[in-house]
Amino acid sequence: KTQCCFLRVHPLFWFWSFRHRMALALCLQVLCSLCGWLSLYISFCHLNKHRSYEWSCRLVTFTHGVLSIGLSAYIGFIDGPWPFTHPGSPNTPLQVHVLCLTLGYFIFDLGCIWRFAWRKSIKKYHAWRSRRSEERQLKHNGHLKIH
């Protein structure tokens, strides 16, 4: 009886389940890519202790640029399909892996931007506020302004 009930499952269930499994696999690839970029960043931080953390982030950016250009050239010129003769064709597994690798890098880079464009923004804001208060004091010859 259990086998009979098992076979009665709606056919769309298998398709839906397959799509969810594929989405989960893609998310896992992106997460692994993000972990890889983070570990590369940490390695660069340890290897270049005399440099700033932003320097290590730029090395990761350089590595991503070289790697993505190399892989894209390999896909476009060697592995195929040629994008100018087969536009819109389904992605190959290698193309999907490169896209996941790049998406993981973009998530890493977004985190770096927030971590660093925030500390820098806060410092600039405090400098602006202190300069503004100094200018107010100079305008009023050191006297408090009466409201």
Side-chain angles (χ1 to χ4, degrees), residues 37 40 57-73 101-102 105-106:
W37 293 116
L40 184 64
C57 185
R58 290 179 184 184
L59 283 177
V60 172
T61 300
F62 176 75
T63 305
H64 170 260
V66 170
L67 188 65
S68 63
I69 288 172
L71 287 172
S72 297
L101 183 78
T102 302
Y105 166 74
F106 285 144

Side-chain angles (χ1 to χ4, degrees), residues 96-107:
V96 172
H97 291 304
V98 171
L99 288 171
C100 289
L101 183 78
T102 302
L103 181 58
Y105 166 74
F106 285 144
I107 294 170

Side-chain angles (χ1 to χ4, degrees), residues 74-87:
Y74 175 77
I75 289 170
F77 295 118
I78 298 171
D79 192 45
W82 181 248
F84 298 115
T85 58
H86 296 88

Side-chain angles (χ1 to χ4, degrees), residues 116-143:
F116 293 123
W118 179 260
R119 290 182 181 178
K120 285 185 179 180
S121 296
I122 293 296
K123 285 180 185 178
K124 286 182 180 181
Y125 174 73
H126 287 301
W128 174 78
R129 292 281 295 191
S130 66
R131 222 181 355 197
R132 187 172 169 212
S133 66
E134 288 173 4
E135 288 173 359
R136 282 186 187 170
Q137 289 175 355
L138 290 175
K139 282 183 181 178
H140 303 294
N141 289 330
H143 300 290

Side-chain angles (χ1 to χ4, degrees), residues 15-33:
F15 178 73
W16 181 73
S17 175
F18 175 74
R19 291 185 64 91
H20 274 61
R21 281 185 272 146
M22 289 300 295
L24 183 62
L26 289 174
C27 289
L28 187 60
Q29 284 182 12
V30 171
L31 185 63
C32 288
S33 169

Side-chain angles (χ1 to χ4, degrees), residues 31-57:
L31 185 63
C32 288
S33 169
L34 176 62
C35 290
W37 293 116
L38 280 172
S39 64
L40 184 64
Y41 171 72
I42 291 169
S43 299
F44 283 149
C45 286
H46 286 294
L47 290 173
N48 300 310
K49 290 182 181 180
H50 60 286
R51 301 278 189 174
S52 68
Y53 291 127
E54 194 169 358
W55 175 263
S56 297
C57 185

